[in-house]
Amino acid sequence: MTVGIVGLGLIGGSIAKAIKCYTDEHVLATDIDESIIKLAVLVNAVDGKLCKENLNECDYVFISLYPSDAVKFVQENRRNFKKGAVVVDCCGVKRFVCDKCFDIARQNNFVFIGGHPMAGFHKSGFKHSRETLFKNAAMILVPEDTKNIYLFENLKGLLNKIGFTVVTVTSAQEHDKNIAFTSQLAHVVSNAYVKSPQARLHKGFSAGSYKDLTRVARLNEKMWSELFLENKDFLKSEIDNLIVQLGKYSQALDSEDAKQLEQLLREGRECKERIDR
């Protein structure tokens, strides 16, 4: 079996390395940076360069690009994919990608499945990719049709081999709604939090809570801006709700209302306890 990888950044590079490490599959890959392709071949992360001429050899194609670039790649190569091939994107939003790519795939006799690996690292690029990135991680899949059990079993089998232990199947709508809260809001909060003038003075006064809250502030602003804008309805709703909740704490402090502050803190603690059961 041949697997194609489009984009050799952190995610694409890690998929390539994991497939080469944990399976016997043949791996072809491409990247906008020709030197990265040569490096990937040199370190045996891939077997060769992926191009239009050999794309039709691939049984699976994983696209690890920004959402708009992923859609563009699928559109431009719609006639180059192998008939029946399974094409999976790895973007952080699904409505924008799936709404366009489902139609393209259907009209050109290949299968498109939206994908989102729930794994990452605050540093990007092929040099930070590793074959263990997906160990015990979850993979979200957004198919147009869930009836082809054989297709899902084969894809899940490949994903399990490279480390994923949980495969969640959902809709593009549900994916984007949940990701707005679990991922995108966290990046907004972390990024905004470090803009306090006090952040410059944190050394010697910070421990685990500071490190946890600021870890994802170091992000790729180009990629995350695109992800935020393509999911702006759900993300804005989460931001607005957070502002309302923070306002309650501010009001309790203004009025020196200890009981109200205790109540707010108790509600948060109990909420955390419930969701972690």
Side-chain angles (χ1 to χ4, degrees), residues 8 88 96-97 112 135 176 248:
L8 285 170
V88 182
F96 175 83
V97 177
F112 183 85
K135 185 177 180 180
D176 288 359
K248 295 177 182 178

Side-chain angles (χ1 to χ4, degrees), residues 4-37:
I5 311 290
V6 182
L8 285 170
L10 176 67
I11 298 299
S14 295
I15 292 174
K17 289 178 179 178
I19 292 175
K20 286 294 294 178
C21 181
Y22 302 121
T23 80
D24 296 321
E25 313 305 348
H26 187 67
V27 179
L28 300 173
T30 187
D31 191 88
I32 193 171
D33 187 340
E34 194 72 26
S35 68
I36 295 297
I37 303 172

Side-chain angles (χ1 to χ4, degrees), residues 34-140:
E34 194 72 26
S35 68
I36 295 297
I37 303 172
K38 292 178 180 178
L39 175 62
V41 173
L42 183 66
V43 300
N44 296 316
V46 306
D47 297 299
K49 181 179 178 179
L50 179 68
C51 57
K52 287 185 178 181
E53 289 71 31
N54 61 17
L55 183 59
N56 63 3
E57 298 175 12
C58 298
D59 302 282
Y60 288 93
V61 179
F62 291 92
I63 303 176
S64 183
L65 304 173
Y66 292 177
S68 58
D69 291 331
V71 172
K72 182 180 179 182
F73 183 86
V74 172
Q75 174 64 36
E76 290 181 347
N77 290 278
R78 64 192 182 279
R79 295 187 180 90
N80 300 323
F81 292 112
K82 182 178 182 178
K83 302 306 180 186
V86 178
V87 179
V88 182
D89 83 285
C90 298
C91 302
V93 290
K94 295 274 74 81
R95 287 176 297 171
F96 175 83
V97 177
C98 291
D99 287 352
K100 296 174 175 61
C101 292
F102 284 155
D103 287 340
I104 298 171
R106 199 183 319 110
Q107 293 167 13
N108 291 275
N109 299 312
F110 63 91
V111 178
F112 183 85
I113 298 178
H116 188 180
M118 300 308 293
F121 189 56
H122 66 273
K123 294 182 179 179
S124 60
F126 181 77
K127 66 179 180 179
H128 297 294
S129 64
R130 53 188 186 270
E131 65 272 11
T132 58
L133 184 67
F134 310 115
K135 185 177 180 180
N136 297 321
M139 177 68 157
I140 302 173

Side-chain angles (χ1 to χ4, degrees), residues 148-166:
N148 193 334
I149 301 301
Y150 179 74
L151 181 152
F152 274 103
E153 286 180 347
N154 286 346
L155 177 56
K156 184 179 178 182
L158 177 60
L159 293 172
N160 288 159
K161 286 179 182 178
I162 64 175
F164 292 102
T165 53
V166 177

Side-chain angles (χ1 to χ4, degrees), residues 1 7 49 77 131 147 178 205 209-210 257:
M1 186 170 73
K49 181 179 178 179
N77 290 278
E131 65 272 11
K147 295 177 182 177
N178 280 297
F205 295 88
S209 55
Y210 172 85
D257 190 337

